[in-house]
Each structure stands twice: as C-alpha cells, then as structure tokens.
Amino acid sequence: MKFKINMQPLFTKTKHFIQSKWQSFRSWQQQPVIYRMDESEHVCNNCGHTFVGNYCPVCSQSARHGRISWVAIWQGIGQLWGIESRSAVYTLWQLLWRPGYLVRDYISGKRQVSYPPVKLLFILAAVVALIRYFFPAPEVEISNTGYLYVDLALNWLDNHQTVGELLTSCLLILPTWWIFRNAPLYPDHTIPEGFFLQVYIAILSFIISSIFVEPNLIGVLLTGVYVFAIYKQLFGYGFWGTLWRLLVCSAISVATLTVLTTFGILLSKP
C-alpha cells in the first residue's frame, strides 16, 4: 500500500509566512517609528503648569520626569547616547536595515528619527582610530604603477585610511548632486543634503572598518552593497540606473582624490 505525501499545503503556508514577514519588514522600513499623543493630564514637576501631552508647553520638560528613581538613574546615564529619544544604537540598527530610508527621513526634516549624524560620525571615528591603534592592520604592499607621484598618493592613502575614507565621501557630494538631480523619489537633491548623505555613508564605512580591521575584499564589497542600497532607496532609480550613476560618481571621486593627493605631495616637496 503506497502513501503519497502532499507537500503543497506546507509550501503554501511557508510562502505566505515569508511574504507576511517581508511585508512587515518593508512596512517597518518605510515607517519605523509611530508617534502617539499622550491624552492624559499632567502637572509639570518643573514649572507647575497643568497640560495634556508628552511635554510641558511652558518649559518643555517631559511628562515622564518626576522624582528620582532607579529608572531616572538609567535615564541619566543613557542621555549620553540619546537613549531617551534618538538612541545612537537604534540609529545604527536603522542604518544597517533601512539605510536609504533613514537618510531620506533625516534630510527631509524628520530629525527625531536619528541620533545627530555628525556627532555619531566623530564618535565612530574615535572608536575606529582606537581599534586601528591597538590592532594595527598588516602593512600593505607598496603601490608600483610606474608613475612616481601616483604611487606616492596611493601609498599615502593606504597609510591614512580614515582620512582617505572621509575625503572620498566628501568628494562624492558634488557628483551626486549633479548626476542624481532628477531622481524620481528625491528630485532637486541639494548640496547640504548631500553632505549629510555622505556623513551616513562614512558612518557605515567606519562600522565595516571596525569589523574588518584588515582591509579585504569582503569589507570592500559589503561597503559597496550598502552604498548602492542607500542610493537606490533614497533616489528611487532601478538597479541598473542606480548602478551606472553610482559608478560614475565613484570614478569621479577617486580620480579627484588621487589628483588632489598628488598635487599635495608635489607642493610639499622642497
């Protein structure tokens, strides 16, 4: 007697489960934070004003602030990282899972969704500098292209990775502004917005650098994937439309950095 197992219901349930989770993830990417108004009445512990809402309209103190407790101790410690509202850890979490959407939220005016990016960049730069100080990467091979000053420029960049990463990001601002100016989801992209876009990219670069202390192909590819995801989610071009534009921007940035470094070396020669 033969038994035939029908796997179709299992496949259907699995498919629906995956689709449901994916839709939930996509919804979270689009709107990770839902703000709710506190409708109860409070008396401000700072100025004594009676109000309805989350914050006192007179002195702006939070309605949650009361007498000192164990929770208040944790809040006081956490204020360094903005854990009460814009946690640095939560911002990094968003940057890993919804990078382009986070950037669009911030540059379009939603400041409360993110820990201050410039402040976060300097914190991570200090952390990465410490990691590279205590865990130095092996010396890279000296560049030998046959062009003296190009080799000097490339070797200088190899020995100053953090500075090179920041300069590369800065030099992407103008090409991005020009090439992505007619983007379908974020047209009329401005240079100041481009500055903060590159700040977020530099933050991601520092995160990956802290994971891969020694420069390798995996770290480079991972950085490239994240940069591509940011540009695609932010500007809304398709796969190939995003790819060729990003490659052009990167080529302009790297070429400009090499030229500037070469001129810097020439000018520093006695």
Side-chain angles (χ1 to χ4, degrees), residues 29 32 47 83 102 164 188 214 217 223 231 252 259 266:
Q29 281 188 314
C47 67
I83 289 177
L102 174 63
D188 301 322
E214 180 181 350
L217 182 60
T223 303
Y231 274 73
I252 295 173
V259 171
L266 285 171

Side-chain angles (χ1 to χ4, degrees), residues 186-205:
Y186 206 86
D188 301 322
H189 175 67
T190 66
I191 293 177
E193 291 171 345
F195 168 78
F196 282 99
L197 166 61
Q198 299 309 322
V199 167
Y200 279 109
I201 290 177
I203 290 172
L204 268 173
S205 178

Side-chain angles (χ1 to χ4, degrees), residues 178-240:
W178 176 252
I179 295 174
F180 286 86
R181 66 189 183 280
N182 296 318
L185 290 185
Y186 206 86
D188 301 322
H189 175 67
T190 66
I191 293 177
E193 291 171 345
F195 168 78
F196 282 99
L197 166 61
Q198 299 309 322
V199 167
Y200 279 109
I201 290 177
I203 290 172
L204 268 173
S205 178
F206 283 150
I207 295 173
I208 296 172
S209 297
S210 63
I211 297 173
F212 301 97
V213 178
E214 180 181 350
N216 55 50
L217 182 60
I218 296 177
V220 173
L221 290 177
L222 187 58
T223 303
V225 168
Y226 266 113
V227 172
F228 175 83
I230 289 176
Y231 274 73
K232 189 175 185 303
Q233 292 176 1
L234 173 60
F235 294 112
Y237 284 109
F239 180 87
W240 294 111

